[in-house]
Amino acid sequence: QVQLVESGGGLVQTGDSLKLSCAASRGTFSRYAMGWFRQAPGKEREFVAGISWSGGSTDYADSVKGRFTISRDNAQNTVYLQMNSLRPDDTAVYYCAARPIRTTPHESDYNYWGQGTQVTVSS
């Protein structure tokens, strides 16, 4: 069973950058596709970005394309989310999640979840 722990959240201003990390333990990290999701207050959790087990395939929500970059380091059992040009509507709790092999944008497809890290973007 994979355990996931996110870090790197915080309070930033509009236009700033932030890099989230998600460290995995217990399980073979390289077998899992990884996704980042977020949940803003009063809203449903939504897909942000995903990366395949090898890192060769990535996917992004339209709202973050060109601003966010997902990457992974299988040697370090870690997936990252580089967030640039942050906006107030990026404010949310960000979660990483794992599922076998291929990434999908559907949260119900993911087997393992982290506890989340808060990102707050002030205007």
Side-chain angles (χ1 to χ4, degrees):
Q1 183 171 350
V2 177
Q3 292 187 340
L4 305 172
V5 179
E6 302 95 336
S7 62
L11 173 63
V12 296
Q13 295 184 334
T14 298
D16 284 351
S17 298
L18 207 57
K19 187 172 185 177
L20 305 183
S21 300
C22 173
S25 61
R26 296 188 182 183
T28 305
F29 178 72
S30 61
R31 293 180 181 175
Y32 292 90
M34 301 299 296
W36 283 98
F37 291 77
R38 66 187 181 186
Q39 187 168 23
K43 295 187 178 181
E44 294 186 351
R45 190 155 54 185
E46 64 176 0
F47 173 77
V48 175
I51 188 166
S52 63
W53 67 274
S54 66
S57 177
T58 58
D59 189 23
Y60 296 92
D62 288 343
S63 60
V64 307
K65 280 181 182 176
R67 300 188 299 123
F68 291 10
T69 303
I70 188 171
S71 61
R72 67 188 295 160
D73 184 340
N74 285 349
Q76 297 296 323
N77 290 350
T78 303
V79 63
Y80 304 97
L81 186 68
Q82 176 67 48
M83 305 185 293
N84 298 330
S85 302
L86 283 162
R87 310 183 307 215
D89 61 357
D90 294 317
T91 295
V93 177
Y94 283 72
Y95 300 89
C96 69
R99 72 177 305 274
I101 308 303
R102 292 188 182 91
T103 185
T104 86
H106 309 294
E107 66 171 295
S108 60
D109 290 338
Y110 288 78
N111 305 95
Y112 305 105
W113 291 83
Q115 83 289 349
T117 186
Q118 177 70 47
V119 172
T120 303
V121 185
S122 64
S123 57

